[in-house]
Amino acid sequence: MKIYEIFDKENDISIGILLYYEKEKSFIIELQEYLDEWSAPLLLTNYVKRGILTIPRDVSLLWVKERIIPNSRQNIGDILTTHGLREYDEIKFLELSHGRCSQDSLYIKRIEKLPEYVLERQKKNLTNCTILDGTFLLCFFADDTIRKIDLRTLSYLPDVDAVIRNRTLFSSCQIGTGGYFITFNDSIDIPASELYEAGTFIPLRPHDFFLFAKNNLADTTECCEILECSRQNLSYMVKRGQLTPVKENVKGNLFSKGDVVRNMW
């Protein structure tokens, strides 16, 4: 990850931080808390008005694109050659110009460490997320809390209704870059902050869940050892419904150890 501070030269203030995740080629902007609609970058004014200081990845990318040569430029090939670039790369062009633009007095400067206000906000970023039955999600956050979220409570957000109606789309849920959001089909994003506020707190730590998985899941080999049976016998028990795999795989299944032990009674 690369970190850049965004400065306003005219007003001599720091606007915020631009994060660039190199593997994903994704941008996130974190704005300073003291900004108002007059001191914030024009593109981001509406977010500041609503008290949103962590800017979504698509809008952060748009801010970057406003400050660099577009890839549709007619002579883009010559420009790439001049700068020794093999392909169009937003971050390379942004660094070449230091993020300067004729429309304002902003520029960027590379820094090594995240400021404290960004680190504090990132405590509400996601570390894990899994879908549950119905429209529920179980989300793990960086502040070591767990929250259960009903997506229906977030139906006011764009396209969330489409996720609720389509189970395949719902099942595509995964954590987005930096834990800043969850994404469905890498096209519909829900900010971690929205999930954090909408979720019902569960008085357990993520570590408790990991310990449960570690101590209460058994693979095929361990099941055979517990039941003192062969893999063939175990397969027969599964077919008869005596034992149901938690997760199936051609190389072997995972079972709840509690279910396995019950077959010893």
Side-chain angles (χ1 to χ4, degrees), residues 190-229:
I190 300 179
S193 57
E194 294 279 0
L195 296 166
Y196 193 95
E197 296 302 324
T200 300
F201 175 74
I202 296 176
L204 291 171
R205 299 174 303 152
H207 184 64
D208 298 327
F209 278 83
F210 299 145
L211 282 178
F212 177 84
K214 179 180 179 180
N215 296 324
N216 292 278
L217 291 178
D219 61 17
T220 300
T221 300
E222 190 176 357
C223 287
C224 291
E225 291 174 356
I226 293 171
L227 297 173
E228 297 181 344
C229 70

Side-chain angles (χ1 to χ4, degrees), residues 72-205:
S72 58
R73 178 71 67 85
Q74 188 173 8
N75 63 335
I76 190 65
D78 294 334
I79 295 172
L80 291 173
T81 301
T82 299
H83 293 291
L85 300 175
R86 294 182 178 180
E87 59 183 6
Y88 185 84
D89 189 336
E90 287 94 353
I91 193 63
K92 293 294 185 183
F93 280 112
L94 192 70
E95 288 177 332
L96 284 169
S97 66
H98 300 287
R100 289 187 170 88
C101 173
S102 61
Q103 305 300 317
D104 55 43
S105 60
L106 304 184
Y107 68 96
I108 64 169
K109 181 180 179 181
R110 181 84 180 267
I111 60 175
E112 296 302 320
K113 294 182 179 180
L114 287 171
E116 194 61 36
Y117 73 91
V118 175
L119 291 172
E120 189 63 28
R121 284 182 204 164
Q122 287 184 342
K123 290 180 181 179
K124 293 185 178 180
N125 283 12
L126 292 149
T127 59
N128 217 328
C129 181
T130 186
I131 62 171
L132 303 175
D133 289 337
T135 57
F136 288 91
L137 297 169
L138 192 65
C139 293
F140 298 67
F141 293 90
D143 65 354
D144 216 26
T145 62
I146 301 170
R147 295 170 190 267
K148 186 177 181 181
I149 297 100
D150 185 349
L151 270 191
R152 290 175 297 183
T153 64
L154 296 173
S155 59
Y156 59 87
L157 294 174
D159 299 316
V160 169
D161 278 339
V163 175
I164 292 172
R165 293 193 303 268
N166 188 325
R167 189 66 190 180
T168 301
L169 183 58
F170 181 72
S171 298
S172 71
C173 175
Q174 65 179 31
I175 296 179
T177 306
Y180 273 101
F181 54 92
I182 57 171
T183 184
F184 299 90
N185 200 32
D186 200 28
S187 59
I188 300 173
D189 297 349
I190 300 179
S193 57
E194 294 279 0
L195 296 166
Y196 193 95
E197 296 302 324
T200 300
F201 175 74
I202 296 176
L204 291 171
R205 299 174 303 152

Side-chain angles (χ1 to χ4, degrees), residues 1-6 16-22 24-31 44 52-64 91 94 114 117-118 121-122 125 176-181 189 191-192:
M1 179 181 70
K2 292 184 176 181
I3 311 167
Y4 304 86
E5 189 158 13
I6 307 170
I17 297 295
L18 174 68
L19 304 178
Y20 177 66
Y21 292 87
E22 296 166 276
E24 293 284 333
K25 294 188 175 182
S26 182
F27 295 91
I28 294 287
I29 293 174
E30 291 277 14
L31 295 175
L44 312 180
I52 299 173
L53 301 177
T54 299
I55 307 303
R57 60 170 173 167
D58 56 338
V59 180
S60 296
L61 175 59
L62 184 58
W63 182 84
V64 169
I91 193 63
L94 192 70
L114 287 171
Y117 73 91
V118 175
R121 284 182 204 164
Q122 287 184 342
N125 283 12
T177 306
Y180 273 101
F181 54 92
D189 297 349

